[in-house]
Amino acid sequence: MINLIKSDLYRIFKGKAIYITLAIVIIIGIVSCVGMSSGYIGVSTGSKLTSFDKESTIALNEANNLIEYRNIIKSHGSFELDRQIIGQNGNLYYLFIVIVVISLSTDFSNKSIKNTLSSAITRKQYYFSKLVLIAFLGTLFVLFNNYFSYFLNLIINGDNFSMPFMETVKITLLQLPLLYGIISLLVCFAFVLQKTALFNTVSISFIILLQTLIIGITNLFKINLNGFYDYEFQSALSKLADFPTNKYIIICAVLGIAYIVVFNIIGYNIFKKCEIK
């Protein structure tokens, strides 16, 4: 199992995809810090960590260049931009997809999984070695994203727009259970769907389609789902960065653990019984 993980790490870091993904994280961090606003992929359901009055909003919309835009934001007062950026870590979902593809889905596409399973590796060892590998790489990306954003923001925008370093550590720890839960979901998708093209189609559209469906049902049937939105994946990550209560932290941690257990039970049992083509 350890040898399989080592060989996968060697293969992954010899390829280009992992470095392209890392470059995307760096670019997003730079754009967010320089533009003093966190980017968001998907249907926004997260809480707003910074608000501007009507006059400032109009001035921002009418800014002629980036320098003027930054000056207007700075004149509005100080706020913790890095907290806002880390609050949008739902964006990492799409980077996790890349990690799952290069670590797992390509094995199915290249048919190399047959050779691996025909050796001394059991399906159980194969499944959990891939899960550990993907969780490890996902953790590296989370840590790099959070601390790179923190230090870059501190350098570019200064103390007035930065939170204490230990707050970054705290938020990272609070978000990890849910992030591991979503990684488990993607691993489950990969083992169930097997084909890379099908995995990409389902996983890339999953979060946006789910959120759109919920919003559609809410508007159509006039159902109040505010309580549900509080624990929706991307919204929950945002709220965990925004001074959550102890009760909310515990519920999110329990949800994250439940996702890890449920999705891996499903993924492993389907993989254990399926025919490898």
Side-chain angles (χ1 to χ4, degrees), residues 213-226 229:
L213 178 63
I214 293 170
I215 293 173
I217 292 174
T218 302
N219 294 334
L220 184 62
F221 298 101
K222 306 301 180 184
I223 301 173
N224 187 350
L225 294 178
N226 289 335
Y229 282 138

Side-chain angles (χ1 to χ4, degrees), residues 3 89 94 104 141 166 169 185 222:
N3 289 335
N89 271 352
Y94 299 96
L104 174 58
F141 271 93
M166 289 309 298
V169 176
L185 170 65
K222 306 301 180 184

Side-chain angles (χ1 to χ4, degrees), residues 183-240:
I183 286 173
S184 297
L185 170 65
L186 292 171
V187 170
C188 178
F189 279 166
F191 276 106
V192 171
L193 301 173
Q194 297 188 10
K195 295 181 179 179
T196 301
L198 186 57
F199 168 77
N200 287 336
T201 301
V202 172
S203 59
I204 291 173
S205 60
F206 177 76
I207 294 292
I208 295 176
L209 289 178
L210 178 63
Q211 292 176 344
T212 305
L213 178 63
I214 293 170
I215 293 173
I217 292 174
T218 302
N219 294 334
L220 184 62
F221 298 101
K222 306 301 180 184
I223 301 173
N224 187 350
L225 294 178
N226 289 335
F228 175 84
Y229 282 138
D230 286 341
Y231 301 100
E232 183 271 336
F233 168 65
Q234 292 181 317
S235 179
L237 291 177
S238 179
K239 291 179 182 296
L240 285 171

Side-chain angles (χ1 to χ4, degrees), residues 5 19 40 52 89 100 185 209 234 254 269:
I5 293 174
Y19 299 106
Y40 195 88
F52 294 89
N89 271 352
V100 174
L185 170 65
L209 289 178
Q234 292 181 317
V254 171
N269 280 283

